[in-house]
């Protein structure tokens, strides 16, 4: 593993990271790895210590996974079992941001292609949830997420809603995510592709890299929208965390413990290129704690 010396990092960038007001931190491939079914997690080197450093310094953070296999509190519990000091309210998923987005637009009835992890934040927000293949009328939006139980009747029900005028929204639309066994297929990506092929509708992404998701995370930490430029987004996926950071003017820090490969960085677009690439989190701890 390559160790980055602080002297190798641009001074202005190190100063921005050291003075950051908050951190938005990815889970899979960044601080922990789970299995392909989103089961238990194990911490990556330096990750437990990094979150503990933020806690000691009073720097707020949110762990924001793009997974929806579990409700936020269940993910938080899994990370606590892996050794992290993490409160339930410090954990976010795309269903968290989706509930906020849908309520803000007055959407009251949603068909979810996904089970507990997709549904619970919507239910807690007072949104009526229609089950995947349940017969229903007046559905205002379809929300796709982690759903490996997906069946043909689910597809038919969602397409009928969309043909009747429902919006198509999704937790995530990336093909792969990092696990302990290598990359695994994103369930919602495959589902979205099927729905789009039949309806012609492209899903509105409500998780990462949506700007609305970042701004909700920032607001949940008690910071104004204008503070985005002083927030560090830490992750392993150029298409998710790096893009979300750049779109909001935040600081993009990428780690090579998941989807990001150091030798591919030069070929990335400006929107997906990290401001800083690290092979391990101890360097980030040294920047923040110096």
């Amino acid at each position: 593993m390559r160790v980055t010396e602080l002297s190798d990092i641009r001074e202005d960038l190190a100063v921005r990271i050291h003075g950051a007001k908050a951190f938005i931190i990815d889970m899979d491939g960044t601080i922990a790895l789970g299995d392909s079914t989103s089961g238990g997690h194990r911490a990556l080197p330096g990750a437990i210590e990094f979150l503990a450093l933020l806690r000691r310094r009073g720097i707020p953070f949110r762990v924001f996974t793009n997974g929806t296999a579990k409700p936020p509190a269940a993910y938080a519990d899994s990370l606590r079992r892996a050794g992290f000091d993490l409160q339930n309210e410090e954990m976010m998923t795309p269903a968290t941001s989706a509930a906020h987005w849908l309520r803000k637009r007055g959407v009251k009835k949603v068909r979810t292609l996904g089970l507990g992890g997709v549904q619970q934040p919507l239910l807690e927000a007072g949104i009526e949830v229609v089950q995947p293949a349940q017969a229903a009328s007046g559905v205002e939006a379809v929300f796709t997420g982690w759903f490996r139980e997906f069946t043909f009747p689910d597809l038919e029900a969602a397409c009928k809603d969309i043909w009747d005028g429902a919006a198509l929204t999704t937790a995530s639309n990336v093909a792969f995510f990092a696990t302990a066994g290598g990359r695994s297929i994103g369930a919602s990506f495959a589902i979205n592709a099927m729905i789009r092929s039949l309806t012609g509708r492209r899903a509105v992404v409500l998780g990462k890299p949506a700007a609305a998701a970042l701004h909700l995370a920032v607001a949940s930490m008690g910071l104004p929208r204008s503070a985005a430029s002083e927030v560090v987004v830490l992750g392993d996926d150029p298409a998710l965390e790096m893009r979300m950071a750049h779109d909001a003017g935040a600081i993009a820090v990428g780690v090579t413990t998941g989807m990001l490969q150091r030798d591919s960085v030069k070929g990335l677009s400006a929107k997906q290129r990290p401001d800083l690439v690290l092979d391990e989190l101890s360097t980030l701890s040294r920047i923040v704690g110096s």
Side-chain angles (χ1 to χ4, degrees):
M1 181 177 289
R2 173 179 168 179
V3 177
T4 303
E5 298 298 333
L6 295 188
S7 59
D8 295 335
I9 301 170
R10 286 194 346 253
E11 183 177 358
D12 63 317
L13 181 57
V15 168
R16 285 186 71 197
I17 294 171
H18 176 75
K21 289 186 175 179
F23 282 74
I24 298 173
I25 305 166
D26 176 49
M27 182 175 71
D28 292 307
T30 300
I31 61 169
L33 286 172
D35 59 35
S36 61
T37 61
S38 198
H41 291 87
R42 63 174 175 84
L44 284 165
I48 292 173
E49 295 79 4
F50 177 63
L51 263 64
L53 172 64
L54 296 181
R55 180 81 71 208
R56 289 196 305 272
R57 296 203 54 179
I59 301 172
F61 62 87
R62 290 293 180 269
V63 176
F64 193 164
T65 178
N66 236 28
T68 48
K70 303 175 183 178
Y75 277 125
D77 186 58
S78 181
L79 290 176
R80 283 193 291 270
R81 291 197 303 272
F84 289 93
D85 176 10
L86 182 70
Q87 302 302 312
N88 287 352
E89 60 271 19
E90 293 171 327
M91 189 81 217
M92 289 183 63
T93 77
T96 311
S97 52
H100 179 81
W101 190 92
L102 292 163
R103 278 197 63 185
K104 188 175 179 180
R105 284 156 182 78
V107 175
K108 297 178 180 178
K109 190 172 185 178
V110 177
R111 183 183 303 277
T112 59
L113 296 192
L115 302 176
V118 177
Q119 296 176 3
Q120 185 170 314
L122 274 63
L123 290 167
E124 291 174 352
I127 295 170
E128 181 182 352
V129 168
V130 177
Q131 297 302 313
Q134 178 185 343
S137 60
V139 173
E140 298 168 87
V142 173
F143 179 53
T144 69
W146 179 267
F147 193 33
R148 290 197 167 192
E149 303 84 355
F150 182 74
T151 66
F152 201 84
D154 304 326
L155 177 63
E156 288 182 314
C159 287
K160 182 179 182 301
D161 292 336
I162 293 164
W163 289 325
D164 288 343
L168 175 60
T169 63
T170 187
S172 176
N173 199 43
V174 293
F176 304 104
F177 64 99
T179 70
R183 68 179 189 176
S184 291
I185 296 172
S188 53
F189 177 88
I191 294 169
N192 294 338
M194 284 186 276
I195 294 176
R196 185 181 178 189
S197 71
L198 292 165
T199 67
R201 297 286 290 278
R202 186 187 295 271
V204 177
V205 177
L206 301 181
K208 296 181 292 189
L214 180 141
H215 291 306
L216 178 62
V218 170
S220 74
M221 292 184 279
L223 298 172
R225 190 183 182 100
S226 58
S229 63
E230 299 174 87
V231 171
V232 172
V233 179
L234 173 64
D236 72 300
D237 195 328
L240 294 180
E241 294 86 31
M242 303 305 102
R243 185 181 183 101
M244 183 170 73
H246 287 305
D247 284 348
I251 306 160
V253 176
V255 290
T256 61
T257 45
M259 300 297 293
L260 179 65
Q261 301 297 314
R262 185 177 282 275
D263 58 8
S264 67
V265 170
K266 289 184 179 178
L268 295 172
S269 69
K271 287 281 190 179
Q272 296 187 340
R273 193 176 302 130
D275 296 314
L276 176 64
V277 180
L278 299 174
D279 297 308
E280 38 77 47
L281 285 173
S282 63
T283 302
L284 191 57
S285 292
R286 286 152 56 205
I287 296 171
V288 173
S290 63

